[in-house]
Amino acid sequence: MAITLYGIPNCDTVKKARNWLDKENIDYQFHDFRKDGLESAQVEQWIKELGWETLVNKRSTSWKALDDNQRQNMDANTALAAILESPTLIKRPLLDNGKSRNVGFKAADYEHILKA
C-alpha cells in the first residue's frame, strides 16, 4: 500500500503526523504541496471525495486572507481554483493510503486507517 502524506513541512500538525508515521515504522512519501505542486485533477478528486467544506481549512491564514466575497460564495468550483492558487488552504495533513483520503491528524484515526 503506497502512502502519501500531503502538507507543508513547517506545519505543526504535519510534523506530528510525520513523527507518528516514523515512530510506527510506516513507510510513506511526503509531498510538499508548495514545493511539489498540486494537479488540478487531483484536487478535483479530493473535493468530490471529501467535500470542499472538509478539504478547506477555514481556520488557516490563507482562508482569512481571502476577501469576504470569496469566503461567502465558496463552492466546489471556486474552492478548486482557490486551492490551486493557494495550496495552504487545504486542511493539513492530507493522508492518502491508496484507498481513501483523510485530512487532519489524530493518532487514533491513523491507527485505524493504517493498521486495520
Side-chain angles (χ1 to χ4, degrees):
M1 161 169 63
I3 298 170
T4 304
L5 188 73
Y6 295 86
I8 55 176
N10 62 332
C11 171
D12 288 340
T13 311
V14 170
K15 288 177 187 176
K16 288 176 188 175
R18 293 181 80 179
N19 287 336
W20 186 90
L21 290 165
D22 292 341
K23 186 179 94 149
E24 297 295 322
N25 293 315
I26 296 173
D27 190 32
Y28 69 96
Q29 176 184 5
F30 179 69
H31 183 103
D32 179 342
F33 47 58
R34 273 191 187 144
K35 187 174 85 174
D36 302 325
L38 292 170
E39 297 291 325
S40 178
Q42 180 181 47
V43 175
E44 192 171 358
Q45 181 58 40
W46 292 344
I47 290 171
K48 284 180 186 172
E49 184 177 338
L50 300 168
W52 74 266
E53 299 91 341
T54 299
L55 190 61
V56 171
N57 182 0
K58 293 183 179 178
R59 294 173 45 198
S60 71
T61 55
S62 298
W63 173 260
K64 293 171 186 168
L66 297 174
D67 66 44
D68 286 339
N69 187 48
Q70 286 176 294
R71 289 193 303 262
Q72 291 173 4
N73 295 304
M74 184 75 62
D75 62 18
N77 291 329
T78 57
L80 174 63
I83 288 169
L84 292 173
E85 185 174 320
S86 181
T88 55
L89 276 169
I90 294 175
K91 186 173 186 180
R92 300 179 298 267
L94 187 143
L95 177 72
D96 183 342
N97 70 357
K99 297 177 188 169
S100 64
R101 268 67 34 216
N102 301 276
V103 294
F105 171 72
K106 289 183 183 165
D109 292 345
Y110 273 38
E111 182 85 25
H112 176 75
I113 294 164
L114 298 173
K115 294 188 172 188

